[in-house]
Amino acid sequence: MTATIRSARPEDAPALARLKLETFRETFLEEGFAIPYPPDDLAQFEAASYAVPAVATELADPAKQTWVAELEGRMVGYAQVGPCKLPHVQACPDHGELYQLYVRRGAQGLKLGGALLQVALDHLAATRPGPLWLGVWSGNEKAQAVYAARGFEKVGDYRFKVGSWYDEEYIFRRL
């Protein structure tokens, strides 16, 4: 099985929207961390974040870059970066932020997450001055360890809104 990583294209919006929704659910709902999101909040968040028009808008935004990992012609992971929007006193939009990095559960262990992360970090280092930023759910210790191994340090906290629910998140930065 040979995996490839490539830049996402506008025509990828439907498949990428499906991948984003499914990997979010795998990670945070019953199969993953089992966060008890109220159904109305979850539905509102998923519709705003993972509908095809929302993903198409992200792909059309020249300030953002998205890559997809494909295995045997099927999208199994993605990473997205752009201007930093984290609520930290030292963060600014000129800095780069890793927005999302997900790999389907069935494709984990194939080193696709690390490859996507490296592509994203290389892009940010080449296109955005200053430190690199990311937000990570406070309960995701595995992801936090991966980011720490890449030189990121926890520098703050914030609340990520899912409908009217709030996830407690950590802000990580790499100088």
Side-chain angles (χ1 to χ4, degrees):
M1 290 190 287
T2 302
T4 59
I5 294 176
R6 64 170 176 82
S7 291
R9 301 180 293 256
E11 60 268 23
D12 291 326
L16 183 57
R18 190 169 39 260
L19 174 65
K20 291 178 97 170
L21 176 63
E22 290 171 0
T23 55
F24 170 80
R25 289 179 175 175
E26 281 182 356
T27 303
F28 295 107
L29 299 184
E30 296 84 23
E31 297 176 30
F33 292 109
I35 297 175
Y37 296 117
D40 290 344
D41 292 322
L42 180 61
Q44 178 186 358
F45 175 76
E46 289 181 342
S49 301
Y50 305 126
V52 173
V55 173
T57 298
E58 291 174 351
L59 291 175
D61 185 340
K64 296 179 181 176
Q65 177 65 41
T66 305
W67 298 269
V68 295
E70 294 178 319
L71 190 59
E72 298 178 346
R74 181 173 171 248
M75 280 186 203
V76 296
Y78 74 98
Q80 185 179 72
V81 301
C84 184
K85 55 187 171 65
L86 289 168
H88 188 277
V89 67
Q90 296 175 337
C92 71
D94 288 342
H95 298 164
E97 179 183 344
L98 174 66
Y99 294 152
Q100 296 170 329
L101 172 62
Y102 289 91
V103 175
R104 286 186 190 275
R105 180 167 285 122
Q108 291 179 4
L110 301 176
K111 301 188 185 295
L112 294 173
L116 282 164
L117 179 57
Q118 193 60 53
V119 167
L121 294 178
D122 289 347
H123 174 81
L124 288 173
T127 60
R128 297 270 172 194
L132 303 179
W133 300 82
L134 61 88
V136 60
W137 182 57
S138 60
N140 193 341
E141 293 175 2
K142 182 179 176 184
Q144 292 169 39
V146 167
Y147 298 135
R150 296 288 184 117
F152 284 86
E153 295 179 312
K154 181 183 176 227
V155 294
D157 308 277
Y158 76 108
R159 300 177 81 205
F160 181 83
K161 193 169 181 171
V162 177
S164 61
W165 175 279
Y166 287 93
D167 282 340
E168 300 301 321
E169 303 270 331
Y170 294 151
I171 298 172
F172 276 53
R173 176 181 66 198
R174 184 172 88 177
L175 297 174

